[in-house]
Amino acid sequence: MSKNLTALSGRKGLTDNLFETIGNLTEAEGFLNNKDAARLAEEYLVGDAAVYGASTFYDFTRPENKGKKVYVCNGSACLVAGTQDKLKAELGQHFKAEEIGEMTCLGRCHENSAFHYDGHNYSGQSTAKLQLGGNIAELEFGDTYNVQAIGAGILTKPFASLDEIRDDFKKMLAATPEDLLAQIKASGLRGRGGAGFPIGIKLEGCRKAESDQKYIVCNADEGDPGSYSDRYLLEQQPIAVLVGLIIAGYVTGADRGVMYIRYEYPESIEIIKQAIADLAAAGLTGTGILGSDFNFEFKVIEARGAYICGEETALLASIEGQRPEVRVRPPYPVNYGLFGKPTIVNNVETLANLHFILKNGGEAFAKIGTSKSSGTKLISLDSAFNCPGIYEVDMGTPLATVVEELGGGFKRPVKALHIGGPLGGLVPVEKMFDLTVDFESFAQNSFLLGHASIVSLPEEYPMVAYLEHLFAFTAHESCGKCFPCRIGSVRGKELLQKAQTSDYKIDNELFTDLLDTMKKGSLCALGGGIPLPVMNAMAHFGGELSAYFKEKV
C-alpha cells in the first residue's frame, strides 16, 4: 500500500475516479494503451509505473484482453458440469480462436453453458439455441431459477414500497445513530461474505473514528465460483441492498456509498443504477433527506475482473486506482480506508439485512437462527440439483434439508459438495447429514460455510484434477503481495499437474508443508484459505488421491 498514492487519488476521489477512468479507456481496445496511460499518470500525479501496474492486473484491462469478442465462463460450476468444451467448439464456428477469452463465473451456475458477449451474459437455453444453429445476435440473455424460502424468509419476500421505506426512514431519523447501532449489535448479524465478522463491531469502530469524510462500500464483486446469491439480490432486491448502505451511513456518519459491482454482472449494474435513480426521485437520497441534516449519495463503480477484490483492503486499493494488493492490517479500514478515510466494507447480503433490523428491531432478528449465527442465509445450488436456485433458510437448518427437500436431490451421482466458494469446505456427500447451515457447525467439522454456494462434484470427476483447478485459480487470482500465496499456489498446481501427466509421485510431507506455509504465512484468505478444501480432500478422498502420492494420503 502506498499512502502517497492513496492521498493523490483522494484529491479527485469518486467524482473523477482514476480506476473508473482506466476502465472506461479500455472499452475501445480491451486494454489501456501507452498514450492514455501516460496521460493518466501525469493528470493524477501517480507515475507511469502505478498506472501500468493497476491497468495490467485486471482480466478486462490487461493487454492480453486485446481483440477478445466473447468470453466463456471457466468457473468451478461450469467446469465440473462439463459444458464448456462443447460451448467453446460452438463459439468457434462464430469467432476466431484469438477472439475467444475467458471469464471466471458469470453467476449462471444453475444452468451452465455460460458465456459473455456484447455486454450481456448467456447460458442454458440461450446456449442451446446457439448450438442448434441460432444467430448469436438474436439470443435472449435472461435466465430463470428457483427462489424459495423456509423459515423467516427475510431476503426472498417482496421488498417494501418506496412509500413504506419513506416511513421507515422517518423512524430511523427520529432515532439517534447510537440507538440504531445498539439494535444492530443486538441482532448479532454477522458478515455473509465468508468471514462471519459481526457488522455491529465494524459500524461502531467507524462511528468512533474522527474524520471529515466517511464511506460505506458494498462489495458486490461476488467472485466465488458457484455463488449467485448476491446477483439475485442486486437484480431482484436492489432497493434492499441500497437501503442497507443508507442505514449504515446514518449509523456511522458516512454520506457516500459506493457500489463496487463485478464486471461479469452487466445486468446487475444497470438494475442498481436504475434503483439509485428511483430512490433519488423519491427524495430518499441526496442532501437533507426528508428534511433532516442527514445526506447520502451513491456512486456505482464497475469492477474489472479480479477475485482478490473480494478482500476488503484490495477492493479499496482498486477504487483508488492502485494495483489491488492486500494491505497489512492494522490500520483497519474502519480507521484508514478509502482515500485514507474511515470506511465500512460489507458484502451485498449482509447490508440487505439491515432494513429488517431497522423495521423490526435487533431482538426480532436475533430470534431467527441460532444463538451464535442469527438470521437467515441465502444458498446457491448449482445445476447438479433437480431444483437448482437460490434458497433462504434460517441459520441452523440441516444441510440435508437444503439438499434433499429444497434442491430435490441430485440429477446425477455426486461425491462431494464444495461449499462456500474456492476457499470453502470440500464436503463428502455423506457428511451433509452431520452439518447445519451455520458458522459453528461447519467450523466444528473442519469445513467453512463462507458464501454458502454449493458446487457439486460428480462421482466421475477426478478429485486430483479439481484440486489442480483450485490451485490454478489461486495462482491466477493472487495479488502477488506475499510469497506464500504467489509462489505456493503455482507450486501446488505444478505438483498436481506433474503427477497426472507423468509417473511422478508427490512427496506427502512436502505437499503438507506447502499447505501449512500457505495457511500460516499468507496475508489474506486467498492463499491462507485454499489449503482448507485441499486438506478436506486429502482427509476424505485419500484412497482416490493415493495413486498420485509417494506415501499414503
Side-chain angles (χ1 to χ4, degrees):
M1 175 185 68
S2 169
K3 289 188 175 181
N4 288 335
L5 292 177
T6 293
L8 287 167
S9 182
R11 290 166 57 246
K12 298 195 176 186
L14 295 172
T15 304
D16 188 8
N17 182 255
L18 174 57
F19 174 68
E20 189 174 30
T21 303
I22 290 173
N24 291 338
L25 288 173
T26 64
E27 292 289 346
E29 299 181 75
F31 72 104
L32 188 67
N33 62 50
N34 292 336
K35 181 179 178 181
D36 285 336
R39 179 174 62 81
L40 291 182
E42 182 177 354
E43 180 181 345
Y44 288 85
L45 305 178
V46 296
D48 293 343
V51 173
Y52 180 82
S55 67
T56 56
F57 182 88
Y58 301 93
D59 287 344
F60 306 110
T61 61
R62 58 177 51 145
E64 293 86 347
N65 193 48
K66 183 179 180 180
K68 296 291 187 291
K69 294 183 178 180
V70 63
Y71 301 88
V72 175
C73 179
N74 65 357
S76 304
C78 283
L79 174 76
V80 299
T83 60
Q84 302 311 84
D85 287 343
K86 183 178 180 181
L87 173 60
K88 285 181 182 178
E90 180 56 43
L91 290 173
Q93 303 298 314
H94 303 266
F95 300 95
K96 299 176 183 177
E98 61 270 21
E99 293 175 334
I100 303 175
E102 291 187 333
M103 277 184 169
T104 301
C105 198
L106 305 181
R108 299 297 184 92
C109 318
H110 55 289
E111 56 187 24
N112 309 128
S113 300
F115 69 96
H116 177 95
Y117 171 70
D118 196 25
H120 294 293
N121 292 340
Y122 301 86
S123 57
Q125 292 302 311
S126 293
T127 304
K129 290 179 182 178
L130 178 68
Q131 292 167 343
L132 290 173
N135 187 331
I136 191 169
E138 297 175 355
L139 296 181
E140 298 176 359
F141 53 82
D143 67 323
T144 58
Y145 50 85
N146 296 303
V147 177
Q148 186 180 338
I150 54 173
I154 294 172
L155 300 175
T156 49
K157 291 178 180 177
F159 195 64
S161 68
L162 292 178
D163 286 338
E164 291 174 299
I165 294 168
R166 182 176 289 103
D167 292 338
D168 294 333
F169 276 13
K170 289 177 181 177
K171 174 183 176 181
M172 175 181 76
L173 295 167
T176 66
E178 292 84 358
D179 288 342
L180 183 50
L181 174 60
Q183 291 297 319
I184 294 171
K185 291 177 69 175
S187 74
L189 174 61
R190 297 170 63 178
R192 301 309 200 227
F197 189 80
I199 186 175
I201 295 177
K202 276 189 178 183
L203 294 172
E204 184 174 40
C206 189
R207 173 157 184 80
K208 289 180 177 178
E210 296 183 3
S211 179
D212 59 342
Q213 177 69 64
K214 298 179 182 180
Y215 297 98
I216 307 297
V217 176
C218 178
N219 175 9
D221 192 18
E222 182 181 46
D224 286 342
S227 299
Y228 54 104
S229 53
D230 286 359
R231 178 181 157 236
Y232 154 74
L233 290 170
L234 293 168
E235 295 179 8
Q236 298 192 39
Q237 303 278 22
I239 299 293
V241 178
L242 298 174
V243 166
L245 272 78
I246 296 172
I247 294 170
Y250 182 71
V251 169
T252 59
D255 65 0
R256 295 303 305 270
V258 180
M259 292 294 304
Y260 186 91
I261 309 176
R262 68 192 280 101
Y263 184 84
E264 294 88 341
Y265 287 178
E267 290 82 12
S268 298
I269 293 169
E270 294 308 312
I271 290 171
I272 284 292
K273 286 180 178 178
Q274 182 57 56
I276 290 172
D278 292 342
L279 283 171
L284 299 175
T285 62
T287 303
I289 297 174
L290 300 181
S292 71
D293 59 359
F294 174 52
N295 311 319
F296 201 85
E297 298 281 0
F298 284 100
K299 173 71 174 180
V300 175
I301 292 184
E302 298 179 25
R304 292 288 164 172
Y307 179 76
I308 195 61
C309 288
E311 198 281 335
E312 61 181 5
T313 62
L315 186 156
L316 297 176
S318 175
I319 298 174
E320 293 170 355
Q322 299 191 57
R323 195 173 189 272
E325 293 182 341
V326 174
R327 299 175 178 177
V328 176
R329 291 167 289 185
Y332 293 93
V334 294
N335 297 115
Y336 185 91
L338 183 60
F339 306 126
K341 304 296 184 179
T343 304
I344 290 292
V345 183
N346 269 110
N347 91 314
V348 172
E349 186 178 347
T350 312
L351 291 165
N353 276 294
L354 291 182
H355 177 258
F356 179 93
I357 297 169
L358 168 65
K359 194 173 185 69
N360 301 283
E363 185 178 342
F365 189 90
K367 287 180 178 179
I368 303 167
T370 72
S371 60
K372 293 184 178 179
S373 295
S374 58
T376 65
K377 186 73 193 76
L378 294 177
I379 301 176
S380 312
L381 301 188
D382 72 357
S383 65
F385 290 86
N386 284 305
C387 301
I390 297 294
Y391 295 95
E392 184 179 15
V393 299
D394 293 354
M395 286 283 200
T397 300
L399 180 60
T401 299
V402 176
V403 171
E404 297 182 333
E405 296 182 22
L406 295 175
F410 302 106
K411 297 176 183 175
R412 56 187 178 182
V414 167
K415 63 182 174 184
L417 305 175
H418 197 176
I419 303 177
L423 316 180
L426 194 58
V427 181
V429 70
E430 63 271 12
K431 286 285 291 183
M432 70 177 177
F433 299 100
D434 300 334
L435 297 171
T436 53
V437 180
D438 55 75
F439 298 109
E440 289 69 39
S441 173
F442 274 69
Q444 289 164 6
N445 286 275
S446 300
F447 302 120
L448 180 74
L449 179 62
H451 217 124
S453 57
I454 299 183
V455 173
S456 309
L457 202 63
E459 280 190 357
E460 70 274 11
Y461 199 94
M463 184 60 70
V464 66
Y466 191 70
L467 297 186
E468 179 196 339
H469 160 71
L470 295 181
F471 274 111
F473 174 84
T474 306
H476 177 75
E477 300 293 350
S478 175
C479 76
K481 180 75 173 282
C482 67
F483 289 168
C485 178
R486 186 178 78 209
I487 299 175
S489 57
V490 176
R491 293 294 172 263
K493 178 184 70 172
E494 290 173 344
L495 287 170
L496 291 165
Q497 283 178 338
K498 191 174 181 179
Q500 293 175 80
T501 57
S502 69
D503 58 0
Y504 175 78
K505 303 291 184 181
I506 301 171
D507 184 283
N508 193 38
E509 184 177 0
L510 174 68
F511 195 69
T512 302
D513 284 349
L514 172 65
L515 295 175
D516 190 56
T517 300
M518 292 182 71
K519 180 180 178 181
K520 294 178 179 178
S522 297
L523 272 175
C524 81
L526 179 55
I530 207 67
L532 174 63
V534 179
M535 290 187 292
N536 289 158
M538 294 174 72
H540 297 286
F541 295 93
E544 180 182 341
L545 292 170
S546 62
Y548 303 96
F549 288 79
K550 287 182 180 178
E551 304 89 4
K552 184 178 180 180
V553 178

